[in-house]
Amino acid sequence: MSGLPFAALLLCLCITAGQSQQFTITVEHSQINVPVGGDALFSVRPSSKVRSGDWSVNGILAVWWIDQTVSVDNVYKPRAELFTSNGSLLLKSVNVRDSGEYRVNMVPVSGSQTSATITLRVIGESQQFTITVEHSQINVPVGGDALFSVRPSSMVSRGDWSVNGILAVWWIDQTVSVDNVYKTRAELFTSNGSLLLKSVKVRDSGEYRVNMIPVSGSQSSATITLRVIEPVTGVTVVANDSTPLENLDTIALSCDASGPVQARAWFKDNQPIQENNRIFTSSGKAKLIIISVYRNDAGTYKCIASNSFSSGSGETYVQVYYGPEMIRIVPERPVVSNTVSNLTLTCFALSVPWGIYVWYNGNNLLQTGQELRLLSARMVDVGSYTCRVTNRVTNRNSNLTVHVTAEAPKTDDNITLTAGAIVGIVLGLLGMGLIGGVTGWFIARKTSGIKDPPQSKSGRKSTLDTNTVNTPQNYENFPRNEQGASHNAQDENSTYMELNLGDRSVYSDLKR
């Protein structure tokens, strides 16, 4: 009998111990409030070691695990993290769709499974879903990369991009599909829905529209315009008139280029053109207009065309035609020429292009060219000479006439001598000089008593070369004191007096 009470007591202790070891889950907060974009921590604490378990969100399985092996549904894969040590769950970057009831079920190593519930309230449910774009229009050169940068206000579950109304890229969560036209060049960033289009072409220009559906809330859209810009090439400047006449014609210079041109600038001889009521540009500066051109409007005109990424230039030379005018002849009028000298008349005139010069004597055509040469201005050359200058472009001409007179040269005593008289005088002077020299020699011989030279030792007489009478050496052989000449000074003086008188009489006859 004593054994029965002991057995009954042992059974009661076992029942009490079994009841005290029941598996339970303790939650830190039954409801948590987290702002949009924040992290939600569902903190739990099981009463004993857990073998397996799972978390569901509004009745839909989201995370499950067995021992250390964890699986996460694709919807939460990038954001959910499970702590297997106690089964707590961390959900990152929550959005309004994450709000609801989070239920955890756990199976202990020993004992029956149990569950607990935590309610999540994501603050910001009343905020409207929006998409912010960084730039509403982007300009990209040919071959560059275009980034369509967008930023949604909350988590997006799916979306798409269309180009000029044609679907190009679409996605659901992390799954992305690209149309074949853009497959090799388009890249989508699922974190925010931005799109990168590589190596753009001119045909890629247009309207790019993105549609996004948030995890919670109504869908929204945004538009970005892409402008693919070509480089500026082939800039040319063309004038409407190649031969503008001064004070008559108006010229228009056109600046054309390949590729989109955003701006133009005009220069003359590398200096910016200052516009006025006579020189001005058209809308967009595609044309430069000059009314009633002047000669100083001539020069090199350059146009620089540019856009955001490149520029090019073209130029042309403008020549303004005028004249002839301000004609003149050198030497200046009146023209008096020496009859024994050559005479050259030169004609000048202002003319563009260079004038055509023609010389006339009265109505007689003489020659063409700027210069007219008269080999000697004889009396027959006296008269009027006309220079006519013609401009073949302006079809204008200009004349100028000079009168040429000729006169004979004058001597120092104002007596005009012909060429024959001059030659006669020169010959007379030479003859008189010869006669005077021979006479003087005979007189000097007679007065100084010069005799035939003595016989040489060889018995021959000394000879005198009569061909060298007038050479300096012969004059040096005239009698002198040291050579035995006469010492009678009176005789020497009388000889020179007679020679001098003879010279004077001959010169007097010449003068007469």
Side-chain angles (χ1 to χ4, degrees):
M1 291 294 296
S2 60
L4 183 61
F6 177 76
L9 178 61
L10 182 59
L11 179 61
C12 290
L13 290 174
C14 289
I15 293 174
T16 302
Q19 290 179 345
S20 62
Q21 292 299 319
Q22 184 180 359
F23 177 67
T24 59
I25 300 174
T26 303
V27 299
E28 188 173 352
H29 300 287
S30 60
Q31 178 177 317
I32 53 178
N33 301 320
V34 181
V36 172
D39 297 339
L41 176 62
F42 302 91
S43 179
V44 295
R45 188 172 66 253
S47 60
S48 63
K49 188 173 182 179
V50 176
R51 184 176 58 188
S52 62
D54 63 76
W55 282 91
S56 61
V57 181
N58 296 323
I60 299 175
L61 188 64
V63 181
W64 58 96
W65 77 97
I66 297 175
D67 296 327
Q68 301 298 314
T69 303
V70 180
S71 295
V72 180
D73 186 81
N74 289 334
V75 175
Y76 299 97
K77 184 166 287 187
R79 300 188 296 132
E81 182 180 356
L82 182 76
F83 301 98
T84 55
S85 60
N86 57 17
S88 294
L89 175 68
L90 176 65
L91 186 61
K92 304 173 184 177
S93 302
V94 297
N95 53 71
V96 292
R97 191 179 177 182
D98 293 328
S99 296
E101 185 179 85
Y102 287 70
R103 185 178 181 84
V104 61
N105 295 298
M106 294 186 187
V107 178
V109 174
S110 177
S112 301
Q113 71 175 16
T114 188
S115 61
T117 302
I118 300 174
T119 301
L120 169 63
R121 181 172 179 265
V122 178
I123 301 173
E125 293 181 18
S126 60
Q127 293 181 355
Q128 184 179 359
F129 175 68
T130 58
I131 300 173
T132 303
V133 298
E134 187 172 353
H135 300 288
S136 60
Q137 177 176 318
I138 54 177
N139 300 322
V140 182
V142 172
D145 297 342
L147 176 62
F148 304 89
S149 180
V150 296
R151 188 174 65 254
S153 61
S154 62
M155 185 81 173
V156 176
S157 62
R158 62 184 183 272
D160 62 75
W161 282 92
S162 61
V163 181
N164 296 323
I166 300 175
L167 190 62
V169 181
W170 58 96
W171 77 98
I172 299 176
D173 296 327
Q174 302 298 313
T175 302
V176 180
S177 295
V178 181
D179 186 83
N180 289 334
V181 175
Y182 301 97
K183 188 175 287 286
T184 59
R185 298 188 296 131
E187 180 180 355
L188 182 79
F189 301 96
T190 56
S191 60
N192 56 18
S194 294
L195 175 67
L196 176 65
L197 186 61
K198 305 172 184 178
S199 302
V200 296
K201 305 174 178 61
V202 175
R203 64 173 179 266
D204 291 326
S205 296
E207 184 179 85
Y208 287 67
R209 185 177 182 85
V210 61
N211 296 299
M212 294 185 187
I213 300 175
V215 172
S216 177
S218 301
Q219 75 174 14
S220 184
S221 62
T223 301
I224 299 175
T225 301
L226 170 64
R227 187 182 181 193
V228 179
I229 300 179
E230 297 179 86
V232 175
T233 58
V235 182
T236 59
V237 177
V238 180
N240 67 328
D241 190 348
S242 60
T243 56
L245 304 184
E246 185 179 37
N247 297 323
L248 290 178
D249 294 331
T250 294
I251 62 174
L253 302 176
S254 300
C255 181
D256 300 319
S258 299
V261 177
Q262 297 174 342
R264 289 180 176 88
W266 287 93
F267 299 83
K268 177 180 179 288
D269 298 330
N270 292 323
Q271 297 298 319
I273 291 178
Q274 302 298 324
E275 297 188 33
N276 51 45
N277 58 356
R278 195 178 65 86
I279 303 176
F280 53 89
T281 57
S282 63
S283 176
K285 297 189 175 183
K287 289 181 182 260
L288 175 68
I289 301 167
I290 306 176
I291 298 176
S292 298
V293 292
Y294 298 154
R295 66 188 63 183
N296 57 5
D297 290 327
T300 300
Y301 287 81
K302 179 167 64 177
C303 173
I304 298 178
S306 61
N307 58 30
S308 302
F309 301 99
S310 64
S311 66
S313 66
E315 62 183 38
T316 188
Y317 186 82
V318 173
Q319 180 65 73
V320 179
Y321 295 87
Y322 60 89
E325 59 186 49
M326 299 182 64
I327 185 171
R328 68 189 183 97
I329 296 177
V330 177
E332 303 287 348
R333 295 173 293 176
V335 179
V336 180
S337 177
N338 193 307
T339 56
V340 297
S341 301
N342 295 336
L343 175 64
T344 299
L345 300 177
T346 307
C347 189
F348 300 92
L350 290 180
S351 178
V352 174
W354 191 258
I356 301 173
Y357 292 81
V358 181
W359 287 93
Y360 294 87
N361 179 224
N363 293 325
N364 298 322
L365 174 62
L366 297 178
Q367 67 175 62
T368 61
Q370 274 191 280
E371 291 187 348
L372 175 64
R373 294 187 179 183
L374 304 177
L375 297 181
S376 62
R378 299 164 297 171
M379 298 304 297
V380 295
D381 295 323
V382 170
S384 297
Y385 293 87
T386 300
C387 173
R388 171 174 289 182
V389 186
T390 302
N391 187 316
R392 66 180 182 276
V393 175
T394 64
N395 292 322
R396 299 172 185 167
N397 58 69
S398 182
N399 301 335
L400 183 62
T401 301
V402 295
H403 187 76
V404 176
T405 60
E407 65 177 13
K410 298 178 181 180
T411 60
D412 292 339
D413 53 1
N414 298 324
I415 299 178
T416 302
L417 299 176
T418 65
I422 295 173
V423 172
I425 292 172
V426 172
L427 293 177
L429 291 174
L430 290 176
M432 288 169 28
L434 180 59
I435 293 171
V438 173
T439 303
W441 182 80
F442 281 108
I443 294 171
R445 180 181 179 89
K446 181 178 181 180
T447 56
S448 57
I450 299 179
K451 298 180 180 180
D452 291 335
Q455 294 289 337
S456 62
K457 291 182 180 180
S458 61
R460 296 180 183 179
K461 291 185 179 180
S462 174
T463 61
L464 176 64
D465 189 356
T466 57
N467 295 328
T468 59
V469 171
N470 292 325
T471 61
Q473 292 82 355
N474 293 328
Y475 283 102
E476 290 178 358
N477 289 330
F478 282 358
R480 295 183 183 178
N481 294 338
E482 62 273 20
Q483 295 175 339
S486 174
H487 294 278
N488 190 338
Q490 181 64 35
D491 293 340
E492 181 177 350
N493 290 337
S494 60
T495 300
Y496 279 101
M497 287 177 64
E498 291 174 1
L499 180 60
N500 289 335
L501 289 176
D503 291 342
R504 284 199 295 270
S505 63
V506 174
Y507 183 75
S508 299
D509 291 340
L510 179 61
K511 291 291 286 183
R512 287 198 294 269

